[in-house]
Structures are given as structure tokens and as C-alpha cells.
């Protein structure tokens, strides 16, 4: 060894002796670690843990439940296994794929405008079973008062409406299965202007309460169900818990509910990838605010809305002020459906994914659901 060589020269010479294939292998291993920990791609885990057979669906329910024995025990899909599509074995890839390549079915809703007592306007978008089965061709056809076809009310997620890909997939699938579907768009969404000083939020249940009562009155013979997704699921469960047995719904389903808004707020700011979702949701909320600037600039802090960098910021400058909550945490605590699920008195199926990138499993009220 030449003593005149610097330590760095010796290091580079040593590194040059390592075969290129070893570098490629090391790069591959680092890439796998990155994909597993950051993008949460669990392809290898699916292979090693289950041999691509999928994981059993985990059910939480009261052990002596008559409803379970009569209904849930006979639903094969609840007792099967779940395996994500191999090339979409990541919650982030699944979310991105739906957003960009969702390819919703092509159909036209029938729109009905529902006016609330405070002057608000809600767009109800109908898709009938007869529409997708090719029976009805007149868009002015309406449901007969004595029609017994079951009706399902769909409550979309945050800033989503009846035009969202996942809502259109859900509505079309339900209509094809023999249901009449009505999507209850949140105030200010679905292309409808806000016509009162009231906006929707994660705990605003008055609109769905009035709509369900209206539908029950209009179609008393039709069994009435409801499905909520994301924030819509939180609203639905809170409504079910608030009204208990005094509710005209036969059954309901809550899909990917955040359950505890305070826990989800902490979760979405914990990791870099979650902060991306936080930013994306914030941009969506700011877009909603822009649509209704004349009213929001009067009811909320418009300058704060424009400079919001997170959902929490937006809720601080807009949601809590319009909803008259003292603080953001107060809003989150009072509107979290986990506090109400124990009072639900109608059959309720709650579906949550354990790797949801926004609605964390930490917020699921396992004990209350039992």
C-alpha cells in the first residue's frame, strides 16, 4: 500500500472492487424498503404471509346478535378473504388509480331540488333501476307512491358529489342490483349554489334527517336504506346515533368513516405521504370555498381560507366559524361519530380498511361496535 494515498483514494479503490451486481442488489433492497415503508406496497407481504390467498375479513359484532345470525352469517363475502390486485397492492396506488383511471359508468341522473326550511338547496340525483335496465326512456317518469322497490340514499365524502367516479360506480351497481338510488349532494356541491347561511360539515346531520323523512313520506311502501362514504359515513352514523329508534331507515352502511376526527387530524399530519393527502384535501376545500366566496367571505375568515395549508387550517378559518364551534378541537370532538355509534338502533354495516391512508385504523371504535 502506498502511504501517500489519501484515505478517500483508498476508499474509492475499495469500492471499485465491489461487483456492479452487488450494487444493483443493494439498490433493489433499498427500493423495496422504500416502497414498503413509504408507499406501503405490500406485495411481498402478501406473498410471504398468505401466499397470495388474501387475509380473512375481520368481523366485529355482538356475539349474541340476532341480526348476525339472521343476516351477516349468511353473507359469504363477509366470511371470505381479501387480496388487493397485485399491481395495486398499496393504498396510495389504489387511491391514485381511482382518481385518474376510475372510468365511471356513463349514465344520466334525474335531478330533484330539495329546499330546506332555512332556505338551503340540496341536489338529489336519482338513478332508477328501470334506467339502467333499459325499461324507462322518459326522464320525466317518477316513482309511484306505492312503489315497493327499495331506495338507498348515498351520502358522498368530503367535497365529493354525484359526479365523483366512486359514487357513480356505487350508484350504478346498486341500480343494476334492483334498487332505486338517490345521491344526496352536500350543500353547495353538485353544481348547486349555496342559498342560505348554512354550510355542511362532518357533523351536520339536519339535511340527511330532513331528506330521509321526506323520502319516507313520499314513498311509504319502499324500504329505505342509506350508505355513507368517508365524511358522509361519519354524518350518517352520527345521525343514526342521534335519532336512535326514531328513524325510518331499515338499514345502513358506513364505508371508510373517519370515526374520530381528532385522531384522524393527528394521523394525517404524522407522515410525509399523509401530508400529501392533507394538502390535496385542503385544495379541494379551497376550491369549494371559491365557488361560494360571496357567502363564505361574509361568514368566515376569507384571508385565512386562502392561506390555509391543511384541513385543520381550513376548519379553523371556515368550518368552525360557520358552524359556531369555539375551537377546531371542539368541532372535531362534537362531530365524531365514534361517540354516537353506541346509540344506533338500526342494522348497520361498517366497512373500514386497515391501511386507509386518511381514515386511520386507530380511530375505529372496536368496543363500541360490539
Amino acid at each position: 500500500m502506498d502511504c501517500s494515498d489519501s484515505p478517500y483514494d483508498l476508499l474509492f479503490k475499495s469500492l471499485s472492487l465491489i461487483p456492479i451486481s452487488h450494487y444493483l442488489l443493494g439498490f433493489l433492497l433499498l427500493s423495496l424498503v422504500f416502497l414498503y415503508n413509504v408507499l406501503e406496497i405490500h406485495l411481498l407481504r402478501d406473498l410471504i404471509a398468505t401466499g397470495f390467498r388474501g387475509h380473512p375479513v375481520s368481523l366485529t359484532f355482538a356475539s349474541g346478535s340476532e341480526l348476525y345470525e339472521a343476516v351477516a352469517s349468511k353473507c359469504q363475502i363477509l366470511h371470505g378473504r381479501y387480496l388487493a390486485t397485485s399491481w395495486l397492492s398499496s393504498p396510495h396506488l389504489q387511491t391514485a388509480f381511482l382518481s385518474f383511471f376510475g372510468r365511471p359508468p356513463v349514465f344520466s341522473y334525474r335531478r330533484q331540488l330539495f329546499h330546506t326550511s332555512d332556505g338551503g338547496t340540496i341536489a338529489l340525483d336519482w338513478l332508477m333501476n328501470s334506467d339502467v335496465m333499459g325499461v324507462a326512456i322518459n326522464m320525466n317518469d317518477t316513482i309511484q307512491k306505492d312503489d315497493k322497490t327499495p331506495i338507498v340514499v348515498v351520502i358522498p365524502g368530503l367535497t365529493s358529489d354525484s359526479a365523483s367516479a366512486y359514487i357513480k360506480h356505487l350508484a350504478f351497481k346498486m341500480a343494476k342490483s334492483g334498487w332505486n338510488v338517490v345521491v344526496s349532494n352536500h350543500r353547495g356541491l353538485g353544481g348547486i349554489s349555496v342559498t342560505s347561511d348554512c354550510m355542511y360539515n362532518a357533523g351536520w346531520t339536519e339535511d340527511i334527517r330532513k331528506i330521509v323523512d321526506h323520502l319516507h313520506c313520499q314513498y311509504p311502501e319502499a324500504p329505505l336504506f342509506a350508505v355513507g362514504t368517508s365524511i358522509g359515513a361519519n354524518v350518517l352514523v352520527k345521525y343514526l346515533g342521534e335519532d336512535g329508534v326514531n328513524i325510518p331507515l331499515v338499514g345502513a352502511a358506513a364505508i371508510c368513516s373517519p370515526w374520530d376526527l381528532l385522531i384522524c387530524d393527528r394521523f394525517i399530519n404524522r407522515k410525509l405521504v399523509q401530508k400529501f393527502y392533507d394538502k390535496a384535501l385542503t385544495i379541494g376545500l379551497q376550491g369549494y370555498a371559491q365557488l361560494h366566496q360571496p357567502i363564505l367571505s361574509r361568514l368566515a375568515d376569507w384571508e385565512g381560507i386562502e392561506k390555509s395549508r391543511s384541513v385543520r387550517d381550513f376548519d379553523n378559518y371556515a368550518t368552525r366559524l360557520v358552524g359556531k364551534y369555539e375551537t377546531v378541537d371542539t368541532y372535531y370532538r362534537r362531530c365524531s361519530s365514534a361517540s354516537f355509534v353506541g346509540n344506533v338502533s338500526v342494522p348497520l354495516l361498517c366497512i373500514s380498511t386497515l391501511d386507509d391512508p386518511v381514515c386511520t385504523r386507530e380511530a375505529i371504535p372496536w368496543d363500541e361496535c360490539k
Side-chain angles (χ1 to χ4, degrees):
M1 181 177 67
D2 189 347
C3 296
S4 64
D5 287 343
S6 71
Y8 294 106
D9 289 337
L10 294 173
L11 177 62
F12 289 134
K13 288 179 180 179
S14 300
L15 292 175
S16 66
L17 297 175
I18 300 175
I20 295 296
S21 60
H22 291 194
Y23 283 109
L24 294 175
L25 180 60
F27 176 76
L28 176 61
L29 290 175
L30 289 175
S31 298
L32 291 175
V33 171
F34 172 82
L35 292 174
Y36 183 81
N37 290 312
V38 178
L39 296 183
E40 300 177 57
I41 295 178
H42 45 73
L43 184 64
L44 283 179
R45 186 183 67 191
D46 291 340
L47 172 62
I48 296 171
T50 69
F52 290 126
R53 292 185 301 112
H55 295 272
V57 176
S58 175
L59 292 178
T60 299
F61 58 92
S63 57
S65 169
E66 293 182 6
L67 178 65
Y68 172 80
E69 295 298 334
V71 180
S73 65
K74 298 176 176 61
C75 294
Q76 293 184 3
I77 196 170
L78 296 179
H79 300 272
R81 305 174 75 90
Y82 171 75
L83 177 67
T85 303
S86 58
W87 50 275
L88 286 176
S89 57
S90 160
H92 312 300
L93 293 181
Q94 292 164 13
T95 302
F97 183 83
L98 178 61
S99 300
F100 296 106
F101 308 103
R103 297 178 60 185
V106 179
F107 60 83
S108 296
Y109 290 107
R110 310 179 187 202
R111 171 148 292 185
Q112 173 190 359
L113 295 182
F114 181 81
H115 301 283
T116 63
S117 57
D118 62 45
T121 305
I122 299 170
L124 300 179
D125 286 331
W126 288 85
L127 183 65
M128 313 295 191
N129 168 249
S130 56
D131 294 335
V132 299
M133 300 305 291
V135 176
I137 58 175
N138 184 357
M139 292 297 289
N140 293 320
D141 288 345
T142 57
I143 304 175
Q144 299 300 312
K145 199 172 183 68
D146 60 350
D147 195 322
K148 296 183 179 180
T149 304
I151 297 173
V152 59
V153 185
V154 178
I155 312 170
L158 187 68
T159 71
S160 297
D161 58 20
S162 57
S164 300
Y166 73 96
I167 294 294
K168 295 192 78 172
H169 278 292
L170 173 60
F172 188 79
K173 183 71 173 180
M174 295 296 293
K176 286 278 287 185
S177 299
W179 303 62
N180 289 329
V181 183
V182 54
V183 181
S184 176
N185 294 287
H186 300 294
R187 295 191 186 209
L189 289 171
I192 298 297
S193 299
V194 173
T195 55
S196 72
D197 285 355
C198 182
M199 303 280 186
Y200 83 97
N201 61 48
W204 178 252
T205 57
E206 195 58 30
D207 287 347
I208 188 61
R209 179 176 292 106
K210 295 298 184 184
I211 289 166
V212 168
D213 289 344
H214 166 75
L215 294 174
H216 180 61
C217 180
Q218 290 293 111
Y219 314 108
E221 298 299 316
L224 197 57
F225 298 79
V227 175
T229 64
S230 190
I231 286 296
N234 190 80
V235 172
L236 174 60
V237 174
K238 184 171 180 283
Y239 157 60
L240 297 176
E242 287 174 342
D243 287 28
V245 296
N246 302 312
I247 206 165
L249 290 176
V250 176
I255 303 173
C256 296
S257 173
W259 291 111
D260 191 309
L261 303 175
L262 197 57
I263 291 178
C264 287
D265 173 59
R266 302 290 191 267
F267 174 77
I268 206 172
N269 285 286
R270 187 179 301 167
K271 296 180 180 179
L272 180 62
V273 68
Q274 265 71 42
K275 290 181 180 180
F276 174 82
Y277 287 98
D278 194 15
K279 182 62 176 178
L281 291 171
T282 303
I283 293 173
L285 287 169
Q286 289 173 319
Y288 170 82
Q290 288 286 350
L291 294 174
H292 311 294
Q293 181 178 357
I295 291 181
L296 268 175
S297 59
R298 175 168 52 84
L299 298 176
D301 182 342
W302 185 254
E303 183 179 347
I305 291 174
E306 289 186 311
K307 69 178 184 181
S308 293
R309 295 293 177 265
S310 66
V311 173
R312 185 181 182 85
D313 286 345
F314 184 91
D315 287 338
N316 182 53
Y317 294 119
T319 312
R320 76 168 184 88
L321 296 176
V322 178
K324 297 179 173 56
Y325 294 98
E326 296 88 346
T327 68
V328 177
D329 281 1
T330 301
Y331 160 57
Y332 289 159
R333 287 192 178 95
R334 291 183 183 175
C335 293
S336 294
S337 59
S339 302
F340 296 85
V341 68
N343 296 324
V344 174
S345 298
V346 301
L348 173 64
L349 174 64
C350 304
I351 303 175
S352 295
T353 61
L354 300 182
D355 62 353
D356 193 306
V358 177
C359 302
T360 172
R361 62 192 294 176
E362 299 169 23
I364 299 175
W366 304 101
D367 290 344
E368 289 86 342
C369 289
K370 291 181 180 178

PDB file of all heavy atoms in Angstrom, residues 316-337:
ATOM      1  N   ASN A 316     -60.365  25.778  10.833  1.00  0.00           N
ATOM      2  CA  ASN A 316     -60.215  26.870  11.795  1.00  0.00           C
ATOM      3  C   ASN A 316     -60.760  28.185  11.237  1.00  0.00           C
ATOM      4  O   ASN A 316     -61.433  28.936  11.943  1.00  0.00           O
ATOM      5  CB  ASN A 316     -58.740  27.040  12.169  1.00  0.00           C
ATOM      6  CG  ASN A 316     -58.526  28.139  13.203  1.00  0.00           C
ATOM      7  OD1 ASN A 316     -59.153  28.134  14.263  1.00  0.00           O
ATOM      8  ND2 ASN A 316     -57.660  29.082  12.896  1.00  0.00           N
ATOM      9  N   TYR A 317     -60.468  28.448   9.969  1.00  0.00           N
ATOM     10  CA  TYR A 317     -60.855  29.729   9.378  1.00  0.00           C
ATOM     11  C   TYR A 317     -62.252  29.714   8.759  1.00  0.00           C
ATOM     12  O   TYR A 317     -62.810  30.772   8.489  1.00  0.00           O
ATOM     13  CB  TYR A 317     -59.838  30.135   8.309  1.00  0.00           C
ATOM     14  CG  TYR A 317     -58.474  30.446   8.856  1.00  0.00           C
ATOM     15  CD1 TYR A 317     -57.356  29.716   8.460  1.00  0.00           C
ATOM     16  CD2 TYR A 317     -58.296  31.477   9.786  1.00  0.00           C
ATOM     17  CE1 TYR A 317     -56.095  29.988   8.967  1.00  0.00           C
ATOM     18  CE2 TYR A 317     -57.037  31.760  10.299  1.00  0.00           C
ATOM     19  CZ  TYR A 317     -55.946  31.013   9.882  1.00  0.00           C
ATOM     20  OH  TYR A 317     -54.701  31.302  10.395  1.00  0.00           O
ATOM     21  N   ALA A 318     -62.803  28.518   8.529  1.00  0.00           N
ATOM     22  CA  ALA A 318     -64.107  28.446   7.865  1.00  0.00           C
ATOM     23  C   ALA A 318     -65.119  27.603   8.637  1.00  0.00           C
ATOM     24  O   ALA A 318     -66.108  28.109   9.154  1.00  0.00           O
ATOM     25  CB  ALA A 318     -63.942  27.908   6.449  1.00  0.00           C
ATOM     26  N   THR A 319     -64.848  26.286   8.732  1.00  0.00           N
ATOM     27  CA  THR A 319     -65.857  25.348   9.244  1.00  0.00           C
ATOM     28  C   THR A 319     -66.327  25.693  10.648  1.00  0.00           C
ATOM     29  O   THR A 319     -67.531  25.732  10.913  1.00  0.00           O
ATOM     30  CB  THR A 319     -65.302  23.908   9.226  1.00  0.00           C
ATOM     31  OG1 THR A 319     -64.714  23.636   7.957  1.00  0.00           O
ATOM     32  CG2 THR A 319     -66.412  22.918   9.503  1.00  0.00           C
ATOM     33  N   ARG A 320     -65.400  25.926  11.560  1.00  0.00           N
ATOM     34  CA  ARG A 320     -65.802  26.171  12.944  1.00  0.00           C
ATOM     35  C   ARG A 320     -66.548  27.507  13.081  1.00  0.00           C
ATOM     36  O   ARG A 320     -67.438  27.642  13.923  1.00  0.00           O
ATOM     37  CB  ARG A 320     -64.592  26.135  13.875  1.00  0.00           C
ATOM     38  CG  ARG A 320     -63.691  27.362  13.833  1.00  0.00           C
ATOM     39  CD  ARG A 320     -62.696  27.396  14.968  1.00  0.00           C
ATOM     40  NE  ARG A 320     -61.932  28.633  14.937  1.00  0.00           N
ATOM     41  CZ  ARG A 320     -62.322  29.761  15.535  1.00  0.00           C
ATOM     42  NH1 ARG A 320     -63.466  29.797  16.199  1.00  0.00           N
ATOM     43  NH2 ARG A 320     -61.576  30.844  15.457  1.00  0.00           N
ATOM     44  N   LEU A 321     -66.183  28.490  12.255  1.00  0.00           N
ATOM     45  CA  LEU A 321     -66.848  29.795  12.330  1.00  0.00           C
ATOM     46  C   LEU A 321     -68.275  29.714  11.803  1.00  0.00           C
ATOM     47  O   LEU A 321     -69.209  30.232  12.425  1.00  0.00           O
ATOM     48  CB  LEU A 321     -66.048  30.845  11.552  1.00  0.00           C
ATOM     49  CG  LEU A 321     -64.640  31.148  12.090  1.00  0.00           C
ATOM     50  CD1 LEU A 321     -63.920  32.127  11.178  1.00  0.00           C
ATOM     51  CD2 LEU A 321     -64.726  31.712  13.513  1.00  0.00           C
ATOM     52  N   VAL A 322     -68.460  29.062  10.654  1.00  0.00           N
ATOM     53  CA  VAL A 322     -69.808  28.910  10.099  1.00  0.00           C
ATOM     54  C   VAL A 322     -70.670  28.036  11.007  1.00  0.00           C
ATOM     55  O   VAL A 322     -71.855  28.303  11.220  1.00  0.00           O
ATOM     56  CB  VAL A 322     -69.742  28.316   8.682  1.00  0.00           C
ATOM     57  CG1 VAL A 322     -71.145  28.103   8.126  1.00  0.00           C
ATOM     58  CG2 VAL A 322     -68.934  29.224   7.758  1.00  0.00           C
ATOM     59  N   GLY A 323     -70.056  26.973  11.567  1.00  0.00           N
ATOM     60  CA  GLY A 323     -70.796  26.067  12.446  1.00  0.00           C
ATOM     61  C   GLY A 323     -70.889  26.527  13.885  1.00  0.00           C
ATOM     62  O   GLY A 323     -71.512  25.862  14.708  1.00  0.00           O
ATOM     63  N   LYS A 324     -70.230  27.652  14.184  1.00  0.00           N
ATOM     64  CA  LYS A 324     -70.261  28.249  15.519  1.00  0.00           C
ATOM     65  C   LYS A 324     -69.691  27.319  16.605  1.00  0.00           C
ATOM     66  O   LYS A 324     -70.288  27.119  17.665  1.00  0.00           O
ATOM     67  CB  LYS A 324     -71.681  28.694  15.883  1.00  0.00           C
ATOM     68  CG  LYS A 324     -72.227  29.786  14.975  1.00  0.00           C
ATOM     69  CD  LYS A 324     -73.647  30.186  15.354  1.00  0.00           C
ATOM     70  CE  LYS A 324     -74.098  31.402  14.546  1.00  0.00           C
ATOM     71  NZ  LYS A 324     -74.017  31.209  13.083  1.00  0.00           N
ATOM     72  N   TYR A 325     -68.508  26.753  16.315  1.00  0.00           N
ATOM     73  CA  TYR A 325     -67.771  25.975  17.306  1.00  0.00           C
ATOM     74  C   TYR A 325     -66.646  26.839  17.881  1.00  0.00           C
ATOM     75  O   TYR A 325     -66.031  27.627  17.155  1.00  0.00           O
ATOM     76  CB  TYR A 325     -67.169  24.718  16.667  1.00  0.00           C
ATOM     77  CG  TYR A 325     -68.209  23.729  16.196  1.00  0.00           C
ATOM     78  CD1 TYR A 325     -68.601  23.703  14.856  1.00  0.00           C
ATOM     79  CD2 TYR A 325     -68.800  22.827  17.076  1.00  0.00           C
ATOM     80  CE1 TYR A 325     -69.555  22.799  14.413  1.00  0.00           C
ATOM     81  CE2 TYR A 325     -69.753  21.919  16.646  1.00  0.00           C
ATOM     82  CZ  TYR A 325     -70.134  21.912  15.314  1.00  0.00           C
ATOM     83  OH  TYR A 325     -71.077  21.019  14.877  1.00  0.00           O
ATOM     84  N   GLU A 326     -66.376  26.659  19.185  1.00  0.00           N
ATOM     85  CA  GLU A 326     -65.384  27.510  19.845  1.00  0.00           C
ATOM     86  C   GLU A 326     -63.983  27.305  19.278  1.00  0.00           C
ATOM     87  O   GLU A 326     -63.252  28.266  19.040  1.00  0.00           O
ATOM     88  CB  GLU A 326     -65.364  27.237  21.360  1.00  0.00           C
ATOM     89  CG  GLU A 326     -66.667  27.578  22.084  1.00  0.00           C
ATOM     90  CD  GLU A 326     -67.655  26.415  22.077  1.00  0.00           C
ATOM     91  OE1 GLU A 326     -67.448  25.449  21.289  1.00  0.00           O
ATOM     92  OE2 GLU A 326     -68.629  26.453  22.839  1.00  0.00           O
ATOM     93  N   THR A 327     -63.584  26.063  19.078  1.00  0.00           N
ATOM     94  CA  THR A 327     -62.259  25.750  18.556  1.00  0.00           C
ATOM     95  C   THR A 327     -62.379  24.606  17.549  1.00  0.00           C
ATOM     96  O   THR A 327     -63.426  23.949  17.453  1.00  0.00           O
ATOM     97  CB  THR A 327     -61.286  25.308  19.679  1.00  0.00           C
ATOM     98  OG1 THR A 327     -61.727  24.038  20.198  1.00  0.00           O
ATOM     99  CG2 THR A 327     -61.243  26.329  20.800  1.00  0.00           C
ATOM    100  N   VAL A 328     -61.302  24.358  16.826  1.00  0.00           N
ATOM    101  CA  VAL A 328     -61.293  23.249  15.883  1.00  0.00           C
ATOM    102  C   VAL A 328     -61.430  21.924  16.624  1.00  0.00           C
ATOM    103  O   VAL A 328     -62.181  21.038  16.199  1.00  0.00           O
ATOM    104  CB  VAL A 328     -59.997  23.261  15.043  1.00  0.00           C
ATOM    105  CG1 VAL A 328     -59.965  22.057  14.102  1.00  0.00           C
ATOM    106  CG2 VAL A 328     -59.892  24.545  14.247  1.00  0.00           C
ATOM    107  N   ASP A 329     -60.725  21.780  17.749  1.00  0.00           N
ATOM    108  CA  ASP A 329     -60.819  20.535  18.516  1.00  0.00           C
ATOM    109  C   ASP A 329     -62.238  20.309  19.035  1.00  0.00           C
ATOM    110  O   ASP A 329     -62.714  19.170  19.100  1.00  0.00           O
ATOM    111  CB  ASP A 329     -59.832  20.544  19.678  1.00  0.00           C
ATOM    112  CG  ASP A 329     -58.411  20.228  19.225  1.00  0.00           C
ATOM    113  OD1 ASP A 329     -58.205  20.019  18.011  1.00  0.00           O
ATOM    114  OD2 ASP A 329     -57.504  20.191  20.078  1.00  0.00           O
ATOM    115  N   THR A 330     -62.909  21.390  19.416  1.00  0.00           N
ATOM    116  CA  THR A 330     -64.302  21.273  19.849  1.00  0.00           C
ATOM    117  C   THR A 330     -65.165  20.733  18.721  1.00  0.00           C
ATOM    118  O   THR A 330     -65.997  19.838  18.918  1.00  0.00           O
ATOM    119  CB  THR A 330     -64.839  22.644  20.301  1.00  0.00           C
ATOM    120  OG1 THR A 330     -64.051  23.145  21.373  1.00  0.00           O
ATOM    121  CG2 THR A 330     -66.288  22.533  20.764  1.00  0.00           C
ATOM    122  N   TYR A 331     -64.968  21.268  17.526  1.00  0.00           N
ATOM    123  CA  TYR A 331     -65.690  20.792  16.342  1.00  0.00           C
ATOM    124  C   TYR A 331     -65.409  19.317  16.097  1.00  0.00           C
ATOM    125  O   TYR A 331     -66.346  18.516  15.893  1.00  0.00           O
ATOM    126  CB  TYR A 331     -65.275  21.640  15.135  1.00  0.00           C
ATOM    127  CG  TYR A 331     -65.546  21.022  13.789  1.00  0.00           C
ATOM    128  CD1 TYR A 331     -66.828  20.618  13.409  1.00  0.00           C
ATOM    129  CD2 TYR A 331     -64.509  20.847  12.866  1.00  0.00           C
ATOM    130  CE1 TYR A 331     -67.064  20.055  12.167  1.00  0.00           C
ATOM    131  CE2 TYR A 331     -64.734  20.292  11.622  1.00  0.00           C
ATOM    132  CZ  TYR A 331     -66.018  19.896  11.269  1.00  0.00           C
ATOM    133  OH  TYR A 331     -66.247  19.338  10.043  1.00  0.00           O
ATOM    134  N   TYR A 332     -64.148  18.913  16.159  1.00  0.00           N
ATOM    135  CA  TYR A 332     -63.796  17.523  15.900  1.00  0.00           C
ATOM    136  C   TYR A 332     -64.409  16.597  16.945  1.00  0.00           C
ATOM    137  O   TYR A 332     -64.929  15.521  16.618  1.00  0.00           O
ATOM    138  CB  TYR A 332     -62.275  17.357  15.890  1.00  0.00           C
ATOM    139  CG  TYR A 332     -61.586  17.970  14.684  1.00  0.00           C
ATOM    140  CD1 TYR A 332     -60.231  18.290  14.712  1.00  0.00           C
ATOM    141  CD2 TYR A 332     -62.287  18.229  13.511  1.00  0.00           C
ATOM    142  CE1 TYR A 332     -59.587  18.848  13.607  1.00  0.00           C
ATOM    143  CE2 TYR A 332     -61.660  18.788  12.408  1.00  0.00           C
ATOM    144  CZ  TYR A 332     -60.315  19.095  12.462  1.00  0.00           C
ATOM    145  OH  TYR A 332     -59.687  19.644  11.367  1.00  0.00           O
ATOM    146  N   ARG A 333     -64.338  16.984  18.210  1.00  0.00           N
ATOM    147  CA  ARG A 333     -64.858  16.112  19.270  1.00  0.00           C
ATOM    148  C   ARG A 333     -66.374  15.969  19.192  1.00  0.00           C
ATOM    149  O   ARG A 333     -66.910  14.864  19.345  1.00  0.00           O
ATOM    150  CB  ARG A 333     -64.455  16.671  20.638  1.00  0.00           C
ATOM    151  CG  ARG A 333     -62.972  16.503  20.977  1.00  0.00           C
ATOM    152  CD  ARG A 333     -62.693  16.795  22.436  1.00  0.00           C
ATOM    153  NE  ARG A 333     -61.290  16.582  22.777  1.00  0.00           N
ATOM    154  CZ  ARG A 333     -60.365  17.529  22.793  1.00  0.00           C
ATOM    155  NH1 ARG A 333     -60.705  18.774  22.497  1.00  0.00           N
ATOM    156  NH2 ARG A 333     -59.116  17.254  23.095  1.00  0.00           N
ATOM    157  N   ARG A 334     -67.083  17.063  18.984  1.00  0.00           N
ATOM    158  CA  ARG A 334     -68.545  17.020  18.980  1.00  0.00           C
ATOM    159  C   ARG A 334     -69.108  16.323  17.751  1.00  0.00           C
ATOM    160  O   ARG A 334     -70.236  15.807  17.788  1.00  0.00           O
ATOM    161  CB  ARG A 334     -69.110  18.432  19.074  1.00  0.00           C
ATOM    162  CG  ARG A 334     -68.865  19.108  20.420  1.00  0.00           C
ATOM    163  CD  ARG A 334     -69.517  20.472  20.469  1.00  0.00           C
ATOM    164  NE  ARG A 334     -69.241  21.160  21.735  1.00  0.00           N
ATOM    165  CZ  ARG A 334     -69.619  22.410  21.986  1.00  0.00           C
ATOM    166  NH1 ARG A 334     -70.286  23.112  21.074  1.00  0.00           N
ATOM    167  NH2 ARG A 334     -69.327  22.965  23.151  1.00  0.00           N
ATOM    168  N   CYS A 335     -68.344  16.290  16.670  1.00  0.00           N
ATOM    169  CA  CYS A 335     -68.870  15.750  15.419  1.00  0.00           C
ATOM    170  C   CYS A 335     -68.369  14.352  15.100  1.00  0.00           C
ATOM    171  O   CYS A 335     -68.761  13.773  14.081  1.00  0.00           O
ATOM    172  CB  CYS A 335     -68.526  16.697  14.264  1.00  0.00           C
ATOM    173  SG  CYS A 335     -69.377  18.287  14.372  1.00  0.00           S
ATOM    174  N   SER A 336     -67.523  13.783  15.925  1.00  0.00           N
ATOM    175  CA  SER A 336     -67.004  12.439  15.667  1.00  0.00           C
ATOM    176  C   SER A 336     -68.078  11.379  15.894  1.00  0.00           C
ATOM    177  O   SER A 336     -68.678  11.316  16.971  1.00  0.00           O
ATOM    178  CB  SER A 336     -65.797  12.159  16.563  1.00  0.00           C
ATOM    179  OG  SER A 336     -64.710  13.003  16.227  1.00  0.00           O
ATOM    180  N   SER A 337     -68.312  10.538  14.908  1.00  0.00           N
ATOM    181  CA  SER A 337     -69.391   9.552  15.000  1.00  0.00           C
ATOM    182  C   SER A 337     -69.094   8.433  15.996  1.00  0.00           C
ATOM    183  O   SER A 337     -70.010   7.726  16.418  1.00  0.00           O
ATOM    184  CB  SER A 337     -69.653   8.951  13.620  1.00  0.00           C
ATOM    185  OG  SER A 337     -68.496   8.333  13.097  1.00  0.00           O
TER     186      SER A 337
END
